């Protein structure tokens, strides 16, 4: 069994991240498994080495250790890379770009990709496009219908383009390659918290991008290639990523990789019901550390919020391992009020 922590070094770790990471850590430990730490620094514009170091420090302070991944010491002066432990590295996505390129080449050879010239503006104004995050709304397929002559003409005129997966063709490929597996088993999974989930094409982000027009590989691609290559068997993450899972299941199927167990945990909210995020600096672990909160108190607070303990008592993460399960988190909306921080 192998779980993973996959922070993006685009800001400081906050209590919400700590909540999710604690659960991922506990689940791995309770199963006697190993844990990978992978730095998801795909986006060069937003990722910072200082945040990466801060995240490693904060996790260590909290007592959430990892078996594979970057070592805590910073890179040597003449190297941009973290020293690492583990056999499946590198563990920073920025050092794995060749792997993503190779998978895209392979997909392209199978006719699974097409160039998309739509601008962000055009995508935003697509009829019926919900306000989606970076990964984009379900795509209308406008550029799928371009002829190859039109594609070549636009590419040679220097137009920038994203690469999208032709999901209808991808599903067909997966079906063809796995005639012995019923479709429901191919595109369904059991979420440890949300129960059985089926792959609904309309909700799966039809024809999602695997490489952005600025050349940055998409989160969906990188995370799938890495989970498969690193032998991850359990993915515990925030339930804001639930809608990404069908996309990732499809990509894993295309790669012929096993589907991990998924557990999408509820996100921690503040007293106003908003998800804790980087824009709430008061909930950054750094800030709480400086204001005197101890790691044991933090873990005790998170344990109560997760329903793992009825009362808030300081404890190390290891004290929560015996008998750990996701049961107390089902249908739970964990809310962090100001009083919890003082207690
Ligand atoms: N790196 C992603 C994030 O920080 C998490 C990806 C995942 O767990 O699949 O939001």
């Amino acid at each position: 069994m192998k779980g993973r922590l996959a922070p993006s070094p685009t800001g400081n770790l906050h209590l919400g991240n700590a909540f999710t990471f604690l659960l991922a850590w506990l689940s791995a430990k309770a199963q006697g498994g190993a844990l990978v730490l992978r730095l998801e620094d795909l986006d060069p514009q937003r990722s910072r080495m200082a945040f990466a170091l801060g995240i490693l420090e904060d996790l260590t302070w909290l007592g959430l250790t990892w078996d594979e991944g970057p070592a805590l010491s910073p890179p040597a002066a003449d190297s941009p890379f973290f020293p690492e432990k583990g056999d499946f590295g590198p563990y920073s996505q920025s050092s794995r770009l060749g792997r993503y390129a190779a998978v895209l080449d392979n997909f392209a050879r199978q006719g699974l990709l097409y160039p998309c010239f739509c601008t962000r503006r055009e995508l935003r104004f697509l009829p019926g496009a919900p306000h989606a995050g970076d990964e984009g709304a379900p795509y209308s397929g406008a550029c799928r219908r371009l002829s190859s002559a039109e594609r070549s003409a636009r590419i040679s005129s220097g137009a920038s383009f994203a690469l999208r997966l032709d999901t209808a063709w991808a599903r067909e490929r997966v079906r063809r390659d796995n005639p012995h597996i019923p479709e429901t088993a191919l595109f369904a999974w059991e979420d440890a918290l949300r129960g059985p989930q089926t792959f609904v094409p309309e909700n799966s982000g039809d024809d999602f991008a695997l490489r952005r027009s600025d050349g940055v590989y998409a989160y969906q691609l990188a995370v799938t290639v890495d989970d498969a290559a690193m032998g991850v068997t359990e993915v515990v993450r925030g339930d804001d990523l639930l809608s990404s899972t069908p996309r990732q299941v499809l990509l894993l199927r295309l790669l012929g990789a096993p589907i991990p167990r998924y557990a999408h945990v509820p996100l921690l909210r503040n007293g106003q019901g908003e998800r804790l995020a980087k824009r709430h600096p008061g909930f950054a672990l750094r800030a709480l550390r400086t204001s005197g909160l101890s790691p044991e108190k933090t873990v005790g607070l998170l344990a109560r919020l997760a329903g793992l303990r009825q009362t808030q008592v300081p404890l190390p993460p290891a004290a929560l391992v015996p008998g750990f399960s996701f049961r107390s988190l089902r249908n739970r909306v964990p809310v962090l009020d100001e009083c919890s921080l003082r207690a």
Side-chain angles (χ1 to χ4, degrees):
M1 185 275 160
K2 199 191 267 188
R4 42 84 144 179
L5 308 176
S8 302
T10 54
N12 288 319
L13 221 55
H14 55 72
L15 270 181
N17 304 128
F19 182 75
T20 308
F21 290 151
L22 172 65
L23 295 166
W25 187 92
L26 287 173
S27 182
K29 295 290 157 188
Q31 295 170 73
L35 209 68
V36 176
L37 190 138
R38 183 171 70 227
L39 287 171
E40 304 217 317
D41 55 350
L42 260 190
D43 190 336
Q45 303 293 330
R46 297 170 60 213
S47 305
R48 300 275 177 278
M49 177 68 85
F51 287 134
L53 264 174
I55 289 171
L56 303 184
E57 267 170 31
D58 286 349
L59 288 171
T60 308
W61 172 80
L62 208 51
L64 304 184
T65 47
W66 55 95
D67 306 289
E68 292 176 33
L72 195 53
S73 39
D78 57 347
S79 161
F81 304 114
F82 277 100
E84 297 187 332
K85 52 181 177 178
D87 296 333
F88 298 86
Y91 293 95
S92 296
Q93 289 187 327
S94 58
S95 303
R96 303 178 61 81
L97 304 184
R99 289 162 169 85
Y100 313 138
V103 170
L104 281 194
D105 279 350
N106 180 14
F107 284 178
R109 274 197 298 277
Q110 299 179 58
L112 288 162
L113 304 180
Y114 62 86
C116 170
F117 304 93
C118 297
T119 60
R120 273 183 168 258
R121 202 179 156 76
E122 281 163 340
L123 292 174
R124 202 166 316 133
F125 291 108
L126 279 177
H131 45 273
D134 292 348
E135 289 305 318
Y139 180 56
S140 69
C143 288
R144 191 195 316 127
R145 294 185 284 273
L146 295 177
S147 66
S148 45
E150 257 173 304
R151 281 176 189 162
S152 312
R154 290 210 199 180
I155 292 173
S156 30
S157 77
S160 63
F161 58 91
L163 285 173
R164 289 187 181 272
L165 180 73
D166 182 337
T167 44
W169 176 222
R171 279 195 290 272
E172 189 47 38
R173 281 300 309 260
V174 171
R175 271 187 214 108
R176 268 200 228 171
D177 292 346
N178 299 280
H180 51 290
I181 307 182
E183 177 145 354
T184 43
L186 269 181
F187 298 124
W189 70 97
E190 175 83 20
D191 193 276
L193 264 103
R194 303 294 201 97
Q197 305 285 315
T198 41
F199 189 94
V200 184
E202 306 78 271
N203 297 346
S204 66
D206 246 5
D207 290 2
F208 50 98
L210 295 185
R211 204 186 67 196
R212 294 189 334 207
S213 59
D214 59 3
V216 172
Y217 294 100
Y219 152 72
Q220 307 290 1
L221 175 74
V223 91
T224 312
V225 169
D226 292 347
D227 281 342
M230 294 175 182
V232 167
T233 62
E234 185 181 82
V235 172
V236 179
R237 60 186 174 195
D239 61 10
D240 55 330
L241 288 170
L242 186 65
S243 62
S244 288
T245 307
R247 299 174 179 191
Q248 293 172 21
V249 168
L250 178 60
L251 292 175
L252 287 165
R253 290 292 187 202
L254 278 176
L255 295 173
I259 308 300
R261 178 168 104 122
Y262 289 98
H264 288 91
V265 303
L267 294 184
L268 199 54
R269 291 172 187 275
N270 67 11
Q272 286 74 52
E274 300 163 331
R275 299 161 170 181
L276 291 203
K278 287 170 192 132
R279 64 174 187 282
H280 303 124
F283 294 116
L285 286 189
R286 316 239 103 190
L288 297 168
R289 277 169 69 173
T290 348
S291 70
L293 196 70
S294 71
E296 292 80 12
K297 270 194 179 170
T298 311
V299 170
L301 162 65
L302 298 175
R304 181 179 61 74
L305 292 170
L308 298 171
R309 287 289 185 278
Q310 299 311 315
T311 53
Q312 198 165 309
V313 284
L315 27 88
L320 297 164
V321 171
F324 170 79
S325 96
F326 289 111
R327 214 172 305 118
S328 64
L329 283 139
R330 296 210 179 107
N331 305 318
R332 192 174 190 90
V333 181
V335 176
L336 180 79
D337 46 67
E338 298 293 326
C339 313
S340 340
L341 279 175
R342 282 196 293 271

